[in-house]
Amino acid sequence: MLFYLIKRLALGVVIVMLAVTLLFCMIHLVPGDPARILLGPRATPELIAGMSARMGLDQPLPIQILLFFGNLFRGDLGMDVITNRPVADMVFGQLPYTLWLIFTAIGFAMVIGIPLGCYSALHRNTLIDRVTGVLSVACITVPAFVVALYSLLIFAVTLNWFPAVGAGEQGNFWDQVRHIVLPALAIGLSWIGYLARLVRASMLEVMGENHIRTARAYGLPERVVVFRYALKLAVLPTVTVIGVGMGFLLSAALFTEIVFARPGIGKLIFDSITTRNYPVVMGSVLVSTVLFVISTTLSDLVNAWLDPRIRSSL
Amino acid sequence: MTDVLEVKNVRVRFRVKSNFQALVQGIEDPFIDAVRDASFAILEGETFTLVGESGSGKSTLALAVAGLLPAEEGSVRFGGAEVTTMDHAALQAYRKQISFMWQNPVGSLSPRLSVGSLITEPYKIHKLAERDLKAECARLLKMVGLPREFSTRYPHQLSGGQARRVGVARALALNPKLIIADEPTAGLDVSVQGEILNLLNRLQDELGVAMFIITHNLNIVRHISDHTAIMYLGRFVELGPTDDIFEQPRHPYTLALLSANPEPDPDAAISRIELKGEVPSLMDRPGGCEFHTRCPFVGDGCDTNPPPLFTVSGAHTLTCHYPRG
Amino acid sequence: MNDALLTIRDLSVHYHTDRGELKAMRHVNMDVPGGSIVGVVGESGCGKSTLISSIIRLLASNAIIPCGSITFEGRDLLGLSREEMRRLRGDRISIVFQDPMSTLNPVLSIGRQMVDIQYRSSASRAHKIKRATEMLASVGISDPGSRLKQFPHEFSGGMQQRISIAMALQAEPALLIADEPTTALDATLEVQIIHLLKKLQTDIGCSILFISHHLGVIAELCDYVVVMYAGEVVEEGTTREVFHNPAHPYTERLLRCDPASIATKTRSLPTIPGEIPDLVTLPQGCIFKNRCEHVMTQCEHLVPAWIESHSGHFVSCHLAAKPGND
Amino acid sequence: MIDILRRITREPLGMIGLVLVVLIVISALLAGVIAPYDPIELRIVDRLQGPSAAHLLGTDQLGRDLFSRVLYGGQVALKVALISIGAALGVGVLFGMIAGFGPRWLDNIIMLFFDTIRSFPTVMFALATVALVGPSLETVIAVIVVTTIPNYGRVVRTQTLSIRSNEFIKAERAMGASMVRILGVHVLPNVIGPLMILASMDIPTVIALEAGLSFLGMGVKPPTPSWGSILNDGYTLIRNTPWPIIAGSIPLVLITLGFTFLGESLRDLIDPKLRKNI
């Protein structure tokens, strides 16, 4: 178990390092000098050289990467070239907003999606199952930013039920809740459909397995068969999917943060890209990558905790 | 008669732990021996059968013989040539002279190919496609007793017995000198098992091909085999002419296997020999005689001394401290 | 066999398929007397699994039962409500399935599962655990107390089958259905399981409906035998009668082609040529006619009746119906 | 093939999917014929009109006919979807089969790269790339190809691994068949079916991604019409008129629904066991 954990963490570190290296290579390989792009066409060569030095771009590529990792170990993600603030402060200042948004969205999707999927599986081919099925597909297929636009249009602009922009007043819990409803809905809607379908499919599969037949053959009440014997197995794939889904969640969060002008890591990335602020882009992408690695590792651990077969093969 | 195949002291090892895991968990040997010290020979045109239960290493030995798994030690000689040290080209030539029939009748046929393409697959692999493949296909189908129309069917449209026949036809395609058949009757009904065994017998009579059959069912062996070896935990425990083994089984394990398939007669005196417990793990082989943990006739020294080789008569040998009979 | 525990009369089961109605089981009659072991023999496609599923009423959703009755302890199982049927399962009727590896829930411990199925009892949890421990010990699992905490995958196939038997017999049912319980196991383990079943049956005094394709095992274990072919019961009687005087040509051929029954070496083993007929488009007349050596004119059109050729020995064959043929 | 088509049309959802897909594909292809106006022609006089007989979906802030822009936007969406999925499929199949069939170390390396690419949230990766290279259709396609390869690669690898342990592959090996022959004749035909279904269900995802990037102003360059840029116009005009949002989202939702329904009925017909989360 400990061996597995160490292996997973080592792999995660390798993936993050590889990702950073790839990004550096990309910056280096694509035509155009980031410093020149940042400063605009009328910048003097001296200015550009100065900016290159500030961004660390005057060093050879391997040195740049090494320097970046060296700073990383000290918790330093570099400096924002425009405001001269540490990137780490900026990123970690924005991160809680995004995390709250993602957790609210996924929590809300789980609370609705999983029971819906179970219900559909157990009442297969009934009207409700079919309606849920079609609605789930519809939910999955509508992109998050379209949902965001419509909820903004309907609930914020037209009906004026919820605020349209921002994350709410610091320290005012209810205001923050009011501000998170629409963005979380925008992200979570497709996940409701996704989880409902996933749980339905895996529930149907589990209900067809031999051990469920055994449980029924021993006369266990259907309630016990479903909730104790089948459900635990049926949610296993959900854990993996949510773990891997961190990437999609972050992408969706980016759109909703922009649409609702909400602070967060997605908005930070977008804003720094429009201002060509590379250190901030770099830092935010790195943090997102780390988030992804953490969430997949966590989901594997939860799976191992839920499934003794995985646990003992570790 | 000359040997087609001669196997001497073959040992096959599998890695079960990575070196790192072994180091962390303090295991000295990250390998297990799936086959230990196996020696036998197959004469031209005769059938040799290997009997053993799951985990006995019988299939592993067959794969090593076919050059599909490396042997750690020992030699496999086919027509005088050493198989274990062959390079790629020599192995390809070797594979033209042997054919391997796999356990699962339907599962060993590529699901998206028609029976016709399946049977002529060996010609295409060995670039002998200039032959008239249609005629070859018809000839092979006739040999195994399937109508010509079968060449357009697909594996999932075949019954187990029919699929097995297709497998036999494919095995015969390149006129091999040796056919290795892993559980040729597995998954087939009793009434169909007879058909397949009869087919193999008939083909052997007609073509003079040598056969190496692997099975867990000692009772089918009597009718098809010239020599038989019984394997337990990767070792031969009894080896000899089939008739001798059936007339005078001497190893307790052989006796147990024979009695495990009782006659279908309610009045027959049932003298089933019940073995204790289960097959030990290969990672934790018992000391002394490796069978002593399950043997009903265990005696002094069985748990400490390796059993001696005991010769019953001629080629009939076994390893046991206290042979029965 | 009037004191029958389980009586099946004229039972048919069909499945709705894309190709049409698959008549998997037709007009089946059989009895399981109390305290006896009844073997059901047949090759693949004979309807053994349909028979079991219909007794415990866990048929696939596309199955229909056009006719017949299953009487168990005086009650018609087909007439029971789902809830009544559920109450019987695991209490009066229990079952051991073929593939031990997939029979037990992989994410719940053995102890949890064994305690769960005692949900009917009002005994304390400690008492239930004690009962489970006793059951495990009685099927020959050493150190049962601590093994209750383990999960199915931590046991070998033979051990898992022992656990399944322990669970099935925990409530001391009147009828145990054993669906090829040894097919997935090695021959030397099969012996152990057979002996175990026999011993437990004597201890508990239940009946066993033992399904197998293995004639030798049936001969050794069973008091009565039922022979099935292509969805029909073709012969039924005491094991001794059926094995010594097979009245149906299929039984007779099946007994002949078992390689175990042929003690002398032969290069040409007896077989039953031909294939099982398609159960969607059933042929007229006798179901076995296309593979029968003794096929006669009436076999072509007339379905043979279910007749008693000797006392307690039933068969459905035109040969047996001929006067003076027995 | 015709049989599959007939069976799809028998299912209501499959039929709806098919009709939607055919409708949108045809209208995109024939945009030049159907569209009543030039999609990039400015007519400031007509700006911000609601739907009318002249402008079915109204006009945007520059007076451009939204219906015409939606039709032409379909061309962009389909082009991006087909090219990028086709390319990603090709590369993914190749690497997936190599990973699944090749030696263990090669598998590990390929999987490490797949995992690394997967760890970038797609949109952030796309934005970073666009920021470096500048927005264009080619950049969008390249980004989508790079980020989708691991999806297909992983599916192909899993399938190859499970096929590899089948006896029929062992049988081919024992007969001495070459690696190329085993992969091409025996593995590929068994992998490609489920993969095509996955790909057809990915088309909506890719179209949504293109629209998303264009929405952020990081996709196609204006004034080229794209559903995403129409939505972006709608976002900036949200307090003035709802029509650009409605116009941009309708085709997006319809085509995603169409391909999803079609893909799902295909999957249910051909391979009911295939699940989205492989």
Side-chain angles (χ1 to χ4, degrees):
Chain A
M1 189 70 197
L2 187 69
F3 178 72
Y4 172 79
L5 197 66
I6 293 168
K7 211 171 101 182
R8 276 306 306 250
L9 287 177
L11 189 71
V13 170
V14 170
I15 286 179
V16 171
M17 288 172 68
L18 205 57
V20 170
T21 312
L22 281 179
L23 276 180
F24 265 104
C25 292
M26 236 173 72
I27 294 180
H28 201 80
L29 289 178
V30 293
D33 179 353
R36 184 186 298 274
I37 299 174
L38 176 70
L39 294 171
R42 276 174 296 175
T44 60
E46 291 78 37
L47 266 175
I48 291 172
M51 185 53 92
S52 275
R54 276 178 67 194
M55 290 165 78
L57 292 173
D58 51 345
Q59 307 279 351
L61 183 63
I63 305 286
Q64 283 183 35
I65 296 174
L66 280 178
L67 278 176
F68 186 84
F69 284 128
N71 291 335
L72 193 60
F73 276 110
R74 286 182 275 116
D76 177 8
L77 290 172
M79 291 301 243
D80 175 359
V81 284
I82 296 170
T83 61
N84 252 336
R85 287 171 56 205
V87 172
D89 289 358
M90 296 174 71
V91 172
F92 288 110
Q94 301 292 307
L95 193 60
Y97 290 103
T98 305
L99 288 182
W100 270 119
L101 179 58
I102 286 175
F103 290 141
T104 314
I106 199 73
F108 151 72
M110 280 166 75
V111 167
I112 301 180
I114 293 177
L116 210 59
C118 282
Y119 184 87
S120 282
L122 299 175
H123 300 82
R124 200 182 172 186
N125 292 337
T126 57
L127 186 68
I128 293 184
D129 174 31
R130 281 165 199 270
V131 171
T132 318
V134 175
L135 281 183
S136 308
V137 174
C139 288
I140 296 170
T141 53
V142 182
F145 73 98
V146 175
V147 184
L149 283 176
Y150 271 95
S151 51
L152 182 70
L153 182 66
I154 298 169
F155 298 110
V157 175
T158 312
L159 298 173
N160 215 359
W161 287 356
F162 294 100
V165 290
E169 212 177 300
Q170 283 281 337
N172 183 342
F173 181 72
W174 280 112
D175 194 41
Q176 289 182 351
V177 168
R178 269 164 49 80
H179 278 85
I180 213 167
V181 171
L182 291 183
L185 176 84
I187 301 176
L189 191 66
S190 65
W191 281 86
I192 295 178
Y194 195 27
L195 292 182
R197 292 185 57 80
L198 189 70
V199 169
R200 177 182 186 270
S202 64
M203 193 76 182
L204 282 177
E205 197 182 306
V206 172
M207 291 303 282
E209 278 171 16
N210 280 348
H211 57 87
I212 293 296
R213 185 186 58 179
T214 312
R216 286 186 169 147
Y218 289 144
L220 285 179
E222 197 62 17
R223 162 179 51 84
V224 177
V225 173
V226 170
F227 291 107
R228 196 175 304 165
Y229 282 66
L231 191 59
K232 199 172 166 192
L233 274 161
V235 295
L236 287 179
T238 319
V239 175
T240 313
V241 162
I242 293 178
V244 177
M246 183 52 104
F248 301 106
L249 284 166
L250 283 169
S251 293
L254 184 140
F255 281 113
T256 36
E257 281 166 10
I258 289 164
V259 169
F260 290 98
R262 214 186 123 80
I265 200 154
K267 186 136 177 25
L268 180 68
I269 290 186
F270 183 70
D271 291 343
S272 20
I273 279 169
T274 34
T275 54
R276 316 273 164 190
N277 196 340
Y278 288 100
V280 181
V281 175
M282 205 64 185
S284 333
V285 172
L286 176 73
V287 169
S288 328
T289 307
V290 171
L291 271 184
F292 179 84
V293 170
I294 290 175
S295 78
T296 46
T297 310
L298 263 181
S299 77
D300 282 358
L301 290 178
V302 172
N303 257 329
W305 173 60
L306 287 174
D307 190 339
R309 290 168 298 181
I310 302 179
R311 208 185 308 155
S312 58
S313 70
L314 298 183
Chain B
M1 280 213 280
T2 53
D3 290 347
V4 178
L5 186 81
E6 196 189 4
V7 173
K8 270 222 167 81
N9 309 102
V10 163
R11 175 174 177 209
V12 184
R13 298 211 296 172
F14 287 126
R15 178 181 277 281
V16 285
K17 300 265 172 180
S18 71
N19 281 336
F20 184 64
Q21 274 177 311
L23 197 72
V24 171
Q25 298 172 1
I27 299 162
E28 275 174 36
D29 186 9
F31 294 93
I32 53 162
D33 283 1
V35 175
R36 264 191 190 176
D37 203 21
S39 303
F40 65 96
I42 302 179
L43 298 175
E44 234 173 68
E46 84 152 33
T47 302
F48 178 83
T49 310
L50 198 53
V51 183
E53 293 182 289
S54 45
S56 64
K58 56 187 192 307
S59 299
T60 307
L61 179 54
L63 291 171
V65 165
L68 293 165
L69 273 180
E72 183 73 20
E73 283 170 18
S75 91
V76 176
R77 295 181 80 80
F78 179 82
E82 180 60 44
V83 175
T84 52
T85 56
M86 277 182 181
D87 59 9
H88 180 74
L91 266 179
Q92 285 296 91
Y94 173 52
R95 282 178 187 149
K96 273 167 75 172
Q97 299 177 65
I98 60 160
S99 9
F100 205 105
M101 274 167 56
W102 297 79
Q103 211 180 93
N104 185 337
V106 180
S108 56
L109 304 175
S110 194
R112 311 251 165 180
L113 298 191
S114 68
V115 166
S117 342
L118 282 168
I119 292 181
T120 52
E121 186 76 5
Y123 300 118
K124 291 173 222 151
I125 290 171
H126 293 285
K127 314 242 162 23
L128 305 167
E130 73 277 8
R131 298 193 192 195
D132 182 357
L133 292 185
K134 264 211 166 111
E136 284 294 314
C137 177
R139 177 181 72 89
L140 290 167
L141 280 176
K142 191 168 173 233
M143 258 170 130
V144 297
L146 286 176
R148 193 188 270 252
E149 303 82 74
F150 266 68
S151 66
T152 55
R153 293 208 188 173
Y154 285 87
H156 65 270
Q157 299 168 317
L158 304 175
S159 71
Q162 290 163 346
R164 182 47 86 209
R165 283 169 191 267
V166 171
V168 174
R170 181 169 68 175
L172 292 172
L174 297 176
N175 292 321
K177 288 207 179 85
L178 173 69
I179 294 179
I180 306 176
D182 192 356
E183 302 275 8
T185 58
L188 302 177
D189 278 325
V190 186
S191 60
V192 187
Q193 286 182 8
E195 286 180 31
I196 297 300
L197 296 178
N198 289 344
L199 175 69
L200 290 178
N201 278 336
R202 179 170 63 78
L203 291 172
Q204 185 168 49
D205 292 343
E206 285 171 13
L207 306 171
V209 55
M211 291 202 198
F212 178 14
I213 290 175
I214 298 117
T215 181
H216 70 278
N217 188 346
L218 189 51
N219 288 282
I220 69 162
V221 170
R222 171 165 19 203
H223 311 295
I224 47 169
S225 176
D226 300 296
H227 282 83
T228 299
I230 288 132
M231 253 181 130
Y232 183 79
L233 274 187
R235 281 186 204 274
F236 286 3
V237 293
E238 188 158 7
L239 167 72
T242 308
D243 295 345
D244 292 1
I245 288 187
F246 274 84
E247 272 157 35
Q248 287 193 297
R250 306 295 293 272
H251 196 283
Y253 184 60
T254 312
L255 287 162
L257 281 181
L258 276 173
S259 79
N261 200 349
E263 276 182 68
D265 180 353
D267 292 335
I270 292 162
S271 55
R272 281 231 195 180
I273 296 170
E274 188 178 330
L275 298 182
K276 292 178 272 182
E278 305 205 359
V279 184
S281 156
L282 284 171
M283 290 167 71
D284 188 20
R285 283 175 181 270
C289 172
E290 288 168 347
F291 185 59
H292 84 263
T293 55
R294 302 186 70 202
C295 185
F297 311 111
V298 64
D300 287 345
C302 284
D303 56 344
T304 47
N305 304 328
L309 187 74
F310 180 90
T311 305
V312 182
S313 60
H316 185 183
T317 58
L318 68 149
T319 52
C320 183
H321 288 290
Y322 305 103
R324 310 299 300 167
Chain C
M1 286 191 252
N2 290 327
D3 54 341
L5 176 73
L6 179 82
T7 309
I8 297 178
R9 289 289 172 266
D10 197 36
L11 180 68
S12 297
V13 177
H14 298 180
Y15 293 104
H16 287 300
T17 68
D18 290 343
R19 296 193 302 129
E21 200 107 308
L22 182 93
K23 292 133 196 121
M25 215 169 74
R26 299 170 308 279
H27 308 292
V28 159
N29 296 306
M30 62 180 286
D31 297 274
V32 178
S36 66
I37 306 183
V38 176
V40 177
V41 180
E43 297 184 289
S44 46
C46 72
K48 288 176 291 190
S49 23
T50 302
L51 175 72
I52 299 163
S53 306
S54 56
I55 296 173
I56 57 171
R57 290 256 313 267
L58 287 176
L59 280 164
S61 57
N62 61 337
I64 47 164
I65 304 177
C67 60
S69 68
I70 304 172
T71 314
F72 173 75
E73 293 184 325
R75 295 206 278 173
D76 185 7
L77 296 185
L78 297 179
L80 294 184
S81 73
R82 284 167 70 119
E83 193 51 29
E84 287 169 319
M85 189 61 215
R86 187 182 65 70
R87 261 180 253 142
L88 280 182
R89 287 201 291 260
D91 189 31
R92 303 299 298 153
I93 304 180
S94 231
I95 182 161
V96 175
F97 290 104
Q98 178 172 348
D99 179 14
M101 300 290 182
S102 64
T103 314
L104 299 168
N105 192 304
V107 295
L108 298 176
S109 70
I110 297 297
R112 177 71 180 268
Q113 297 185 53
M114 293 190 74
V115 168
D116 274 356
I117 61 169
Q118 300 178 53
Y119 70 97
R120 294 179 179 89
S121 141
S122 54
S124 69
R125 195 178 152 75
H127 188 84
K128 286 179 180 175
I129 291 174
K130 189 164 158 275
R131 171 86 185 123
T133 318
E134 286 165 12
M135 273 322 286
L136 280 192
S138 75
V139 295
I141 286 178
S142 53
D143 193 15
S146 66
R147 303 217 74 173
L148 277 177
K149 295 186 190 76
Q150 289 185 300
F151 292 91
H153 69 273
E154 295 171 85
F155 294 84
S156 67
M159 284 297 164
Q160 288 183 354
Q161 200 58 296
R162 284 169 186 267
I163 293 167
S164 300
I165 292 172
M167 287 175 76
L169 294 179
Q170 197 166 231
E172 308 205 335
L175 174 67
L176 174 73
I177 301 172
D179 178 9
E180 308 233 12
T182 58
T183 305
L185 303 178
D186 274 328
T188 51
L189 294 180
E190 178 176 52
V191 184
Q192 299 176 347
I193 298 291
I194 297 291
H195 287 179
L196 177 70
L197 274 177
K198 183 91 192 168
K199 178 183 156 290
L200 291 171
Q201 187 258 342
T202 324
D203 291 353
I204 295 173
C206 62
S207 293
I208 299 182
L209 186 62
F210 186 87
I211 286 86
S212 179
H213 63 272
H214 198 326
L215 295 163
V217 171
I218 297 268
E220 182 181 356
L221 185 68
C222 301
D223 307 310
Y224 303 93
V225 64
V226 172
V227 184
M228 289 188 78
Y229 175 77
E232 284 177 16
V233 170
V234 293
E235 188 162 2
E236 178 189 5
T238 62
T239 308
R240 188 165 289 114
E241 256 298 304
V242 172
F243 277 49
H244 285 175
N245 289 314
H248 196 283
Y250 174 67
T251 315
E252 190 251 337
R253 302 280 303 263
L254 194 64
L255 286 168
R256 251 202 289 150
C257 55
D258 184 12
S261 65
I262 305 157
T264 49
K265 185 172 180 163
T266 167
R267 294 290 273 182
S268 93
L269 293 158
T271 64
I272 310 178
E275 307 256 332
I276 288 186
D278 181 13
L279 296 184
V280 173
T281 53
L282 281 179
Q284 267 199 315
C286 173
I287 192 75
F288 190 59
K289 66 180 183 187
N290 63 330
R291 301 174 80 177
C292 184
E293 291 172 307
H294 313 287
V295 64
M296 302 175 295
T297 41
Q298 67 256 52
C299 302
E300 290 295 335
H301 306 290
L302 274 177
V303 177
W306 182 241
I307 52 162
E308 190 165 12
S309 69
H310 289 271
S311 102
H313 186 175
F314 294 83
V315 65
S316 79
C317 178
H318 290 300
L319 280 177
K322 272 190 182 168
N325 200 26
D326 53 12
Chain D
M1 193 67 205
I2 289 169
D3 179 52
I4 288 175
L5 214 60
R6 192 177 304 139
R7 283 167 68 184
I8 281 178
T9 51
R10 220 178 287 155
E11 300 231 353
L13 286 185
M15 186 71 197
I16 295 173
L18 194 67
V19 168
L20 285 176
V21 167
V22 168
L23 203 73
I24 291 180
V25 168
I26 287 180
S27 62
L29 289 179
L30 299 181
V33 185
I34 306 171
Y37 298 91
D38 184 334
I40 55 175
E41 189 195 13
L42 311 182
R43 289 146 144 260
I44 304 292
V45 228
D46 295 335
R47 62 194 291 265
L48 292 180
Q49 290 189 358
S52 64
H55 300 283
L56 285 176
L57 291 169
T59 58
D60 64 8
Q61 76 279 23
L62 299 173
R64 296 175 296 196
D65 178 48
L66 281 172
F67 181 60
S68 307
R69 283 181 69 75
V70 163
L71 288 178
Y72 278 98
Q75 289 187 344
V76 175
L78 289 175
K79 194 165 141 194
V80 171
L82 292 181
I83 295 177
S84 51
I85 287 183
L89 208 56
V91 183
V93 167
L94 187 69
F95 279 99
M97 290 210 301
I98 292 174
F101 216 83
R104 185 79 179 270
W105 61 269
L106 195 58
D107 181 24
N108 284 339
I109 290 180
I110 293 177
M111 287 310 286
L112 187 63
F113 269 93
F114 282 178
D115 281 342
T116 305
I117 295 176
R118 233 163 49 128
S119 73
F120 295 122
T122 313
V123 174
M124 301 194 180
F125 179 69
L127 287 180
T129 316
V130 171
L132 285 168
V133 196
S136 74
L137 201 59
E138 289 72 30
T139 318
V140 172
I141 291 176
V143 167
I144 293 173
V145 170
V146 171
T147 51
T148 341
I149 286 173
N151 296 352
Y152 298 129
R154 291 179 73 96
V155 174
V156 172
R157 172 181 174 269
T158 318
Q159 297 253 345
T160 306
L161 279 176
S162 81
I163 289 173
R164 176 190 176 156
S165 60
N166 273 332
E167 278 203 345
F168 71 89
I169 294 293
K170 293 187 194 160
E172 293 297 322
R173 280 190 157 171
M175 286 189 283
S178 67
M179 172 96 94
V180 175
R181 186 177 173 83
I182 292 178
L183 286 179
V185 180
H186 303 284
V187 176
L188 189 61
N190 291 297
V191 167
I192 203 80
L195 206 62
M196 293 310 283
I197 298 164
L198 271 189
S200 85
M201 292 171 73
D202 267 353
I203 291 178
T205 320
V206 169
I207 289 179
L209 189 58
E210 183 271 321
L213 288 175
S214 300
F215 171 73
L216 295 176
M218 302 280 175
V220 295
K221 268 186 234 153
T224 314
S226 151
W227 297 337
S229 50
I230 298 172
L231 286 169
N232 189 8
D233 294 343
Y235 176 56
T236 47
L237 300 168
I238 197 159
R239 294 194 185 268
N240 308 1
T241 167
W243 289 107
I245 289 183
I246 294 172
S249 59
I250 284 175
L252 195 54
V253 170
L254 287 186
I255 198 154
T256 46
L257 274 182
F259 272 108
T260 312
F261 284 152
L262 194 63
E264 299 229 327
S265 2
L266 262 180
R267 180 193 61 187
D268 292 348
L269 278 183
I270 296 173
D271 192 356
K273 289 212 86 169
L274 182 79
R275 293 222 314 261
K276 186 94 210 248
N277 64 319
I278 313 174

